[in-house]
Amino acid sequence: MENIQKTGKVIKVSGPLITASGMADVHMYDVVRVGEKRLIGEIIELRGDVASIQVYEDTAGIGSGAPVYLTDMPLSAELGPGMIEGIFDGIERPLDKLYDLYGDRIHRGASVPSLDREKKWKFTPTAKPGDEVVAGDVIGTVQETEAVLHKIMVPPNEKGVITEIKEGEFTVLDTVATLKKPDGTEKPLTMVQYWPVRRGRPCKEKLSPTEPMITGQRSMDTLFPISIGGVAAVPGPFGSGKTVVQHQVAKWADADLVIYIGCGERGNEMTDVLNEFPEIIDPKTGMSLMKRTVLIANTSDMPVAAREASIYTGITIAEYFRDMGYKVAIIADSTSRWAEALREMSGRLEEMPGEEGYPAYLSSRLAEFYERAGYVRCLGSDDRYGAVTAIGAVSPPGGDTSEPVSQATLRIVKVFWGLSSELAYKRHFPAIDWLKSYSLYEPKMHDYYMKTISPLWPELVAKTKSMLQEEAELNEIVQLVGIDSLSARDRLTLSAAQMIREDYLQQDAYDNTDSFTSPRKMFLMLSIIHGWYEAGKNALSVGVPFDQIEKMPVCERIARMKFTDESEREKVFAEIADECDAQYTKLMEEAVSDE
């Protein structure tokens, strides 16, 4: 796709930032090739005929006077069959192909097509000659993996009449259809599209999110739900479980595809992801999770500038699959590393620094990324709906969420899953702090919950939050004057809150039964805990001692109920509820007869 004709000249090198003259004909964010090794770079500042270029590879050996080759093209993603199951670097080079060519060290200037040029895909047309099509219309399909049907669409900004369409096996660059445009010219259509990564792909309409993205994680789905097409941040210090939370969301979330971006992560963490994802069995398909996943690997020892490219490449791929009508979850781990790259490039550009040295435009850059998420009506003649749900991990130093990246992110996202090192050290997973976290989507989804789970669901959730808040206040009193100073009613509240924390919110990511909980099972579990609490208040009012309530045999069954298989939930939970009623009735009868 590159059409290299003109050249500029390097006049200054400052790490990943290169300044070049003779660049009067270029545009912002155009791709250039630097030096005889043709290192890939992107223009990030223009002053007259002098351009500042961030280079996505190591610039060692580049000196003043080296040529800069212009491509007259923005940094673009190559979109088509072959992306699913792929592992790419930040500028969408396939790492497996690079390994085959160069071994375990990527050569500088290495250029490999993002999509395999030789592999043939079975193209099945869904349009026919004479059909009038517009941008976004599906003209055919390719069964890319067992889990994903890849839809070949008319590129944005194109429309016309199909004059010819073929069926059979083709490479991504073969012409599969011919489009006669309104001006009479003919355009060959292939299975590949190119799209500038910094520009959001168009849609007909962005819709208000109303449905939750079910993750199967009780603390998220109950207390702090995220909508389909929503945006969430997962801030937390080192060791608080961000990676496991993201793996759980990738595995269980109600999404058709997962785009996982390792942005500036440690090499060993990214290696774990690359090793684990192919081995994770996808509960939806029974096959490897990779059958519906794209991985973008950008480690901390790679040039910092490539972190920005990895974020934009990932969201562009997510939008492409969204346009097919799929629900896509994009997980960025972590946006803090991207912000650090922005800070370094801003410093080298000698811009006026903002808070803690971050550039003044940090918030707007983060917003540009998150605002590309959403639930949309896709382009095309038919009514197709797709969604991109964005979840960004934030790694604040020392877990201090008052630092600029966390604060800028919180001003943008609607869901905050704040991880607590204190909970993580207690082996409480997920370590989401219920007193600091929040979801602004929850009120909008009450109608959905009342229709699909139970009319009582919003009330149960409100009671749960209130009880956890009350527990925090009572614990302060306990720490000052001891638990014996509390009334029996307050001690009952503490016991019920402990049940919610340990028997409901705490989850075992490695247990086959407890790893995922359906909304119906969540409702039944919460109902039993609150039922036990309300009955306990009645029992106390007729003189039942708190010690007897605390030692009820049914408490053990409540503690183990999360390990109940989904297929047996109705029967088992009905038994627990009956047992609870029977034991309370017996205690109350004994208390009345003693009087």
Side-chain angles (χ1 to χ4, degrees), residues 313-383:
T313 299
I315 195 80
T316 303
I317 293 172
E319 286 176 331
Y320 174 67
F321 285 107
R322 173 208 73 188
D323 292 346
M324 297 180 196
Y326 290 125
K327 292 180 287 188
V328 186
I330 178 167
I331 297 168
D333 185 14
S334 96
T335 54
S336 293
R337 308 278 176 259
W338 170 31
E340 287 165 11
L342 288 176
R343 178 167 62 182
E344 177 166 341
M345 296 308 294
S346 176
R348 291 183 185 276
L349 285 166
E350 299 176 7
E351 294 172 336
M352 182 69 74
E355 193 180 353
E356 289 188 25
Y358 287 100
Y361 48 79
L362 172 67
S363 292
S364 63
R365 287 290 177 87
L366 288 170
E368 281 173 17
F369 167 70
Y370 283 111
E371 73 183 6
R372 288 172 69 172
Y375 179 56
V376 306
R377 195 149 67 96
C378 308
L379 291 179
S381 307
D382 58 340
D383 254 4

Coordinates of all heavy atoms in Angstrom, one line a residue, residues 313-383:
T313 N -4.4 0.7 17.4 CA -4.5 -0.5 16.5 C -5.6 -1.4 17.1 O -6.5 -1.9 16.4 CB -3.2 -1.2 16.4 OG1 -2.3 -0.4 15.7 CG2 -3.4 -2.5 15.5
G314 N -5.6 -1.6 18.4 CA -6.5 -2.5 19.1 C -7.9 -2.0 18.9 O -8.9 -2.7 18.6
I315 N -8.2 -0.7 19.2 CA -9.5 -0.1 19.1 C -10.1 -0.1 17.7 O -11.2 -0.3 17.4 CB -9.6 1.3 19.8 CG1 -11.1 1.7 20.1 CG2 -8.9 2.3 19.0 CD1 -11.6 1.1 21.3
T316 N -9.2 0.0 16.7 CA -9.6 0.0 15.3 C -10.0 -1.4 14.9 O -11.1 -1.6 14.2 CB -8.4 0.5 14.4 OG1 -8.0 1.8 14.8 CG2 -8.9 0.5 12.9
I317 N -9.3 -2.4 15.3 CA -9.7 -3.8 15.1 C -11.1 -4.1 15.7 O -11.9 -4.7 15.1 CB -8.6 -4.8 15.5 CG1 -7.4 -4.6 14.7 CG2 -9.1 -6.2 15.5 CD1 -6.2 -5.4 15.2
A318 N -11.2 -3.6 17.0 CA -12.5 -3.8 17.7 C -13.7 -3.1 16.9 O -14.7 -3.7 16.8 CB -12.4 -3.2 19.1
E319 N -13.5 -1.9 16.4 CA -14.5 -1.2 15.7 C -14.9 -2.0 14.4 O -16.0 -2.0 14.0 CB -14.1 0.2 15.3 CG -14.1 1.1 16.5 CD -13.5 2.5 16.1 OE1 -12.7 2.6 15.2 OE2 -13.9 3.5 16.7
Y320 N -13.9 -2.6 13.7 CA -14.1 -3.3 12.5 C -15.0 -4.5 12.8 O -16.0 -4.7 12.0 CB -12.8 -3.8 12.0 CG -12.8 -4.7 10.8 CD1 -13.3 -4.2 9.5 CD2 -12.4 -6.0 10.8 CE1 -13.3 -5.1 8.4 CE2 -12.5 -6.9 9.7 CZ -12.9 -6.4 8.5 OH -13.0 -7.2 7.4
F321 N -14.8 -5.2 13.8 CA -15.7 -6.4 14.1 C -17.0 -5.9 14.7 O -18.1 -6.5 14.5 CB -15.0 -7.3 15.1 CG -14.0 -8.2 14.5 CD1 -12.6 -8.0 14.8 CD2 -14.3 -9.2 13.6 CE1 -11.6 -8.7 14.2 CE2 -13.3 -10.0 13.0 CZ -12.0 -9.8 13.3
R322 N -17.0 -4.7 15.3 CA -18.3 -4.1 15.7 C -19.2 -3.9 14.5 O -20.4 -4.1 14.6 CB -18.0 -2.8 16.5 CG -19.2 -2.0 16.8 CD -18.9 -0.5 16.9 NE -18.7 0.1 15.6 CZ -18.2 1.3 15.5 NH1 -17.9 2.1 16.5 NH2 -18.0 1.8 14.2
D323 N -18.6 -3.4 13.4 CA -19.3 -3.0 12.2 C -20.0 -4.3 11.6 O -20.9 -4.1 10.8 CB -18.4 -2.4 11.2 CG -18.0 -1.0 11.7 OD1 -18.6 -0.5 12.6 OD2 -17.0 -0.4 11.1
M324 N -19.5 -5.5 12.0 CA -20.1 -6.7 11.5 C -21.4 -7.0 12.3 O -22.1 -8.0 11.9 CB -19.2 -7.9 11.5 CG -17.9 -7.7 10.7 SD -16.9 -9.2 10.8 CE -15.3 -8.5 10.2
G325 N -21.6 -6.3 13.4 CA -22.7 -6.6 14.3 C -22.4 -7.4 15.5 O -23.2 -8.0 16.1
Y326 N -21.0 -7.5 15.8 CA -20.6 -8.3 16.9 C -20.5 -7.4 18.2 O -20.2 -6.2 18.1 CB -19.3 -9.0 16.6 CG -19.3 -10.1 15.6 CD1 -18.5 -10.1 14.5 CD2 -20.2 -11.1 15.8 CE1 -18.6 -11.1 13.6 CE2 -20.3 -12.2 14.9 CZ -19.5 -12.2 13.8 OH -19.6 -13.2 12.9
K327 N -20.5 -8.1 19.3 CA -20.2 -7.4 20.6 C -18.8 -7.7 20.9 O -18.4 -8.9 21.1 CB -21.1 -7.9 21.7 CG -22.6 -7.5 21.6 CD -23.5 -8.1 22.7 CE -23.6 -9.6 22.6 NZ -24.6 -10.1 23.5
V328 N -17.9 -6.7 21.0 CA -16.5 -6.8 21.2 C -16.1 -6.2 22.5 O -16.5 -5.1 22.9 CB -15.7 -6.1 20.0 CG1 -14.2 -6.4 20.1 CG2 -16.3 -6.5 18.7
A329 N -15.3 -7.0 23.3 CA -14.7 -6.5 24.5 C -13.2 -6.2 24.2 O -12.5 -7.1 23.7 CB -14.8 -7.5 25.6
I330 N -12.8 -5.0 24.5 CA -11.4 -4.6 24.3 C -10.8 -4.3 25.7 O -11.3 -3.6 26.5 CB -11.2 -3.4 23.4 CG1 -9.7 -3.1 23.2 CG2 -12.0 -2.2 23.8 CD1 -9.4 -2.1 22.1
I331 N -9.7 -5.0 26.0 CA -9.1 -5.0 27.3 C -7.7 -4.4 27.1 O -6.8 -5.0 26.4 CB -9.0 -6.3 28.0 CG1 -10.5 -6.8 28.2 CG2 -8.3 -6.3 29.3 CD1 -10.6 -8.3 28.6
A332 N -7.4 -3.2 27.7 CA -6.1 -2.6 27.5 C -5.4 -2.6 28.9 O -5.8 -2.1 29.9 CB -6.3 -1.1 27.1
D333 N -4.2 -3.3 28.9 CA -3.4 -3.5 30.1 C -2.0 -3.0 29.8 O -1.2 -3.7 29.2 CB -3.5 -5.0 30.4 CG -2.8 -5.3 31.8 OD1 -2.5 -4.3 32.5 OD2 -2.5 -6.5 32.0
S334 N -1.6 -1.8 30.2 CA -2.4 -0.9 31.0 C -2.2 0.5 30.4 O -1.2 0.8 29.8 CB -2.0 -0.9 32.4 OG -1.0 0.1 32.7
T335 N -3.3 1.3 30.5 CA -3.2 2.7 30.0 C -2.2 3.6 30.7 O -1.8 4.6 30.1 CB -4.6 3.4 30.0 OG1 -5.1 3.3 31.4 CG2 -5.6 2.6 29.1
S336 N -1.8 3.2 31.9 CA -0.7 4.0 32.6 C 0.6 3.9 31.8 O 1.3 4.9 31.7 CB -0.5 3.4 34.0 OG -1.6 3.6 34.8
R337 N 0.9 2.8 31.2 CA 2.1 2.7 30.4 C 2.1 3.6 29.2 O 3.1 4.1 28.7 CB 2.4 1.2 30.0 CG 2.3 0.2 31.2 CD 3.6 0.2 31.9 NE 3.4 -0.7 33.1 CZ 3.2 -0.3 34.3 NH1 3.2 1.0 34.6 NH2 3.1 -1.2 35.3
W338 N 0.9 3.6 28.6 CA 0.7 4.5 27.4 C 0.9 6.0 27.9 O 1.6 6.8 27.2 CB -0.7 4.3 26.9 CG -1.2 5.3 25.8 CD1 -0.4 6.0 24.9 CD2 -2.5 5.7 25.6 NE1 -1.2 6.8 24.1 CE2 -2.5 6.6 24.5 CE3 -3.7 5.4 26.1 CZ2 -3.6 7.2 24.0 CZ3 -4.9 6.0 25.6 CH2 -4.8 6.9 24.6
A339 N 0.3 6.3 29.0 CA 0.5 7.7 29.5 C 1.9 8.0 29.8 O 2.4 9.1 29.6 CB -0.4 7.9 30.8
E340 N 2.7 7.0 30.3 CA 4.1 7.3 30.5 C 4.9 7.5 29.2 O 5.8 8.3 29.1 CB 4.7 6.0 31.2 CG 4.3 5.9 32.7 CD 4.6 4.6 33.3 OE1 5.3 3.8 32.6 OE2 4.2 4.3 34.4
A341 N 4.4 6.8 28.1 CA 5.0 7.1 26.8 C 4.7 8.5 26.3 O 5.6 9.2 25.8 CB 4.5 6.0 25.8
L342 N 3.4 8.9 26.6 CA 3.1 10.3 26.2 C 3.9 11.3 26.9 O 4.3 12.3 26.4 CB 1.6 10.6 26.5 CG 0.5 9.9 25.6 CD1 -0.9 10.2 26.2 CD2 0.6 10.4 24.2
R343 N 4.2 11.0 28.2 CA 5.0 11.9 29.0 C 6.4 12.0 28.5 O 7.0 13.1 28.4 CB 5.0 11.4 30.5 CG 5.9 12.3 31.4 CD 5.6 12.0 32.9 NE 6.0 10.6 33.2 CZ 5.8 10.1 34.4 NH1 5.3 10.8 35.4 NH2 6.1 8.9 34.7
E344 N 7.0 10.9 28.1 CA 8.3 10.9 27.6 C 8.4 11.6 26.3 O 9.3 12.5 26.0 CB 8.9 9.4 27.4 CG 10.3 9.5 26.8 CD 11.0 8.1 26.8 OE1 10.5 7.3 27.7 OE2 11.9 7.9 26.1
M345 N 7.5 11.4 25.3 CA 7.5 12.1 24.0 C 7.2 13.6 24.2 O 7.8 14.4 23.5 CB 6.4 11.5 23.1 CG 6.7 10.0 22.7 SD 8.3 9.6 22.1 CE 8.3 10.5 20.6
S346 N 6.4 13.9 25.1 CA 6.1 15.3 25.4 C 7.3 16.0 25.9 O 7.6 17.2 25.5 CB 4.9 15.5 26.4 OG 4.7 16.8 26.8
G347 N 8.1 15.4 26.8 CA 9.3 15.9 27.3 C 10.3 16.1 26.2 O 11.0 17.2 26.2
R348 N 10.4 15.2 25.3 CA 11.4 15.3 24.2 C 11.0 16.4 23.2 O 11.9 17.0 22.6 CB 11.6 13.9 23.5 CG 12.3 12.9 24.4 CD 12.5 11.6 23.7 NE 13.0 10.6 24.5 CZ 14.3 10.4 24.8 NH1 15.2 11.2 24.3 NH2 14.7 9.4 25.6
L349 N 9.7 16.6 23.1 CA 9.2 17.7 22.3 C 9.4 19.1 22.9 O 9.1 20.1 22.3 CB 7.7 17.5 21.9 CG 7.4 16.4 20.9 CD1 6.0 16.1 20.9 CD2 7.9 16.8 19.5
E350 N 9.8 19.1 24.2 CA 10.0 20.3 25.0 C 8.7 21.1 25.2 O 8.6 22.3 25.1 CB 11.1 21.1 24.4 CG 12.4 20.4 24.4 CD 13.5 21.2 23.7 OE1 13.3 22.4 23.4 OE2 14.6 20.7 23.5
E351 N 7.6 20.3 25.4 CA 6.3 21.0 25.6 C 6.2 21.4 27.1 O 6.8 20.8 27.9 CB 5.1 20.0 25.2 CG 5.1 19.6 23.7 CD 4.1 18.5 23.4 OE1 3.7 17.8 24.3 OE2 3.6 18.5 22.3
M352 N 5.3 22.3 27.3 CA 5.0 22.7 28.7 C 4.4 21.6 29.5 O 3.3 21.1 29.1 CB 4.1 23.9 28.7 CG 3.8 24.5 30.1 SD 5.3 25.2 30.9 CE 5.4 26.8 29.9
P353 N 5.0 21.1 30.5 CA 4.4 19.9 31.2 C 3.2 20.3 32.1 O 3.1 21.4 32.5 CB 5.6 19.4 32.1 CG 6.4 20.7 32.3 CD 6.3 21.5 31.1
G354 N 2.4 19.3 32.2 CA 1.2 19.5 33.1 C 1.6 18.8 34.5 O 2.7 18.8 34.9
E355 N 0.6 18.3 35.2 CA 0.7 17.8 36.5 C 1.7 16.5 36.5 O 1.5 15.7 35.6 CB -0.6 17.4 37.1 CG -0.6 17.1 38.5 CD -2.0 16.7 39.1 OE1 -3.0 16.8 38.3 OE2 -2.1 16.3 40.2
E356 N 2.6 16.5 37.4 CA 3.6 15.4 37.5 C 4.3 15.1 36.2 O 4.7 14.0 35.9 CB 2.9 14.1 38.0 CG 2.5 14.2 39.5 CD 2.0 12.9 40.1 OE1 2.4 11.9 39.5 OE2 1.3 13.0 41.0
G357 N 4.5 16.1 35.3 CA 5.2 16.0 34.1 C 4.5 15.4 32.9 O 5.0 15.3 31.8
Y358 N 3.2 15.0 33.2 CA 2.4 14.4 32.1 C 2.0 15.6 31.2 O 1.8 16.7 31.6 CB 1.1 13.7 32.6 CG 1.4 12.4 33.2 CD1 1.5 12.3 34.6 CD2 1.6 11.3 32.4 CE1 1.8 11.0 35.2 CE2 1.9 10.0 33.0 CZ 2.0 9.9 34.4 OH 2.2 8.7 35.0
P359 N 1.7 15.4 29.9 CA 1.4 16.5 29.0 C 0.0 17.0 29.4 O -0.9 16.3 29.9 CB 1.3 15.8 27.6 CG 1.2 14.4 27.8 CD 1.9 14.1 29.1
A360 N -0.3 18.3 29.0 CA -1.5 18.9 29.4 C -2.7 18.2 28.6 O -3.8 18.3 29.1 CB -1.5 20.4 29.0
Y361 N -2.4 17.6 27.5 CA -3.5 16.9 26.7 C -3.7 15.5 27.1 O -4.4 14.7 26.4 CB -3.2 17.0 25.2 CG -1.8 16.6 24.8 CD1 -1.4 15.3 24.7 CD2 -0.8 17.6 24.6 CE1 -0.1 14.9 24.4 CE2 0.5 17.2 24.2 CZ 0.8 15.9 24.1 OH 2.1 15.5 23.8
L362 N -3.2 15.0 28.3 CA -3.4 13.6 28.7 C -4.8 13.2 28.7 O -5.2 12.2 28.2 CB -2.8 13.4 30.1 CG -3.0 12.1 30.7 CD1 -2.3 11.0 30.0 CD2 -2.5 12.1 32.2
S363 N -5.7 14.1 29.3 CA -7.1 13.7 29.5 C -7.8 13.6 28.1 O -8.6 12.7 27.9 CB -7.9 14.8 30.3 OG -7.4 14.8 31.6
S364 N -7.5 14.5 27.2 CA -8.1 14.4 25.9 C -7.7 13.2 25.1 O -8.5 12.6 24.4 CB -7.8 15.7 25.0 OG -6.5 15.8 24.8
R365 N -6.4 12.8 25.2 CA -5.9 11.6 24.6 C -6.6 10.3 25.1 O -7.1 9.4 24.3 CB -4.4 11.4 24.7 CG -3.6 12.4 23.9 CD -3.7 12.1 22.4 NE -3.0 13.0 21.6 CZ -1.7 13.0 21.3 NH1 -1.0 11.9 21.7 NH2 -1.1 13.9 20.6
L366 N -6.8 10.3 26.4 CA -7.5 9.1 27.0 C -8.9 9.1 26.6 O -9.5 8.1 26.3 CB -7.4 9.2 28.6 CG -6.0 8.9 29.2 CD1 -6.0 9.3 30.7 CD2 -5.7 7.4 29.0
A367 N -9.5 10.3 26.5 CA -11.0 10.4 26.1 C -11.1 10.0 24.7 O -12.1 9.3 24.4 CB -11.4 11.9 26.3
E368 N -10.2 10.3 23.8 CA -10.3 9.9 22.4 C -10.3 8.4 22.3 O -11.0 7.9 21.4 CB -9.1 10.4 21.6 CG -9.1 11.9 21.2 CD -7.8 12.4 20.6 OE1 -7.0 11.5 20.2 OE2 -7.6 13.6 20.6
F369 N -9.6 7.7 23.2 CA -9.6 6.2 23.1 C -11.0 5.7 23.7 O -11.7 4.9 23.0 CB -8.5 5.7 24.0 CG -8.6 4.2 24.3 CD1 -8.4 3.3 23.3 CD2 -8.8 3.8 25.6 CE1 -8.5 1.9 23.6 CE2 -8.9 2.4 25.9 CZ -8.8 1.5 24.9
Y370 N -11.4 6.1 24.9 CA -12.6 5.6 25.5 C -13.9 5.9 24.7 O -14.8 5.2 24.7 CB -12.7 6.0 26.9 CG -11.7 5.3 27.9 CD1 -10.6 5.9 28.5 CD2 -11.9 3.9 28.2 CE1 -9.8 5.2 29.3 CE2 -11.1 3.3 29.0 CZ -10.0 3.9 29.6 OH -9.2 3.2 30.4
E371 N -13.9 7.1 24.1 CA -15.1 7.5 23.4 C -15.4 6.7 22.2 O -16.5 6.7 21.6 CB -15.1 9.0 23.1 CG -14.2 9.4 22.0 CD -14.2 10.9 21.7 OE1 -14.8 11.7 22.5 OE2 -13.5 11.3 20.7
R372 N -14.4 5.9 21.7 CA -14.6 5.1 20.5 C -15.4 3.8 20.9 O -15.8 3.0 20.1 CB -13.3 4.8 19.9 CG -12.8 6.0 19.1 CD -11.4 5.8 18.6 NE -11.3 4.9 17.5 CZ -10.2 4.7 16.7 NH1 -9.1 5.4 17.0 NH2 -10.2 3.8 15.8
A373 N -15.5 3.6 22.2 CA -16.4 2.5 22.7 C -17.8 2.9 22.5 O -18.1 4.1 22.2 CB -16.1 2.1 24.1
G374 N -18.8 2.0 22.6 CA -20.2 2.3 22.5 C -21.0 1.3 21.8 O -20.5 0.4 21.2
Y375 N -22.3 1.4 22.0 CA -23.3 0.5 21.4 C -23.9 1.3 20.2 O -24.4 2.4 20.4 CB -24.4 0.2 22.4 CG -25.5 -0.7 21.9 CD1 -25.2 -1.9 21.4 CD2 -26.8 -0.3 22.0 CE1 -26.2 -2.8 20.9 CE2 -27.9 -1.1 21.6 CZ -27.5 -2.3 21.0 OH -28.5 -3.2 20.5
V376 N -23.8 0.7 19.0 CA -24.1 1.5 17.8 C -25.0 0.8 16.9 O -25.1 -0.5 16.9 CB -22.8 1.9 17.0 CG1 -21.8 2.6 17.9 CG2 -22.1 0.7 16.4
R377 N -25.7 1.6 16.0 CA -26.4 1.0 14.8 C -25.4 1.1 13.7 O -24.9 2.1 13.4 CB -27.6 1.8 14.5 CG -28.6 1.1 13.6 CD -30.0 1.5 13.9 NE -30.2 2.9 13.6 CZ -30.8 3.4 12.4 NH1 -31.1 2.5 11.5 NH2 -31.0 4.6 12.2
C378 N -25.0 -0.1 13.1 CA -23.9 -0.2 12.2 C -24.3 0.4 10.8 O -25.5 0.5 10.5 CB -23.5 -1.6 12.0 SG -23.1 -2.5 13.5
L379 N -23.3 0.8 10.0 CA -23.5 1.2 8.7 C -24.1 0.0 7.9 O -23.8 -1.1 8.2 CB -22.2 1.6 8.0 CG -21.6 2.9 8.4 CD1 -20.3 3.1 7.7 CD2 -22.5 4.1 8.3
G380 N -24.9 0.3 6.8 CA -25.5 -0.7 6.0 C -27.0 -0.6 5.8 O -27.6 0.2 6.6
S381 N -27.5 -1.3 4.9 CA -28.9 -1.2 4.6 C -29.8 -1.9 5.6 O -30.9 -1.5 5.9 CB -29.2 -1.9 3.2 OG -28.4 -1.4 2.2
D382 N -29.2 -3.0 6.2 CA -30.0 -3.7 7.2 C -29.8 -3.1 8.6 O -28.9 -2.2 8.8 CB -29.6 -5.2 7.3 CG -28.1 -5.3 7.5 OD1 -27.4 -4.4 7.3 OD2 -27.7 -6.4 8.0
D383 N -30.6 -3.5 9.6 CA -30.5 -3.0 10.9 C -29.6 -3.9 11.7 O -30.0 -4.9 12.3 CB -31.9 -2.9 11.6 CG -32.3 -1.4 11.7 OD1 -31.6 -0.6 11.2 OD2 -33.4 -1.2 12.3

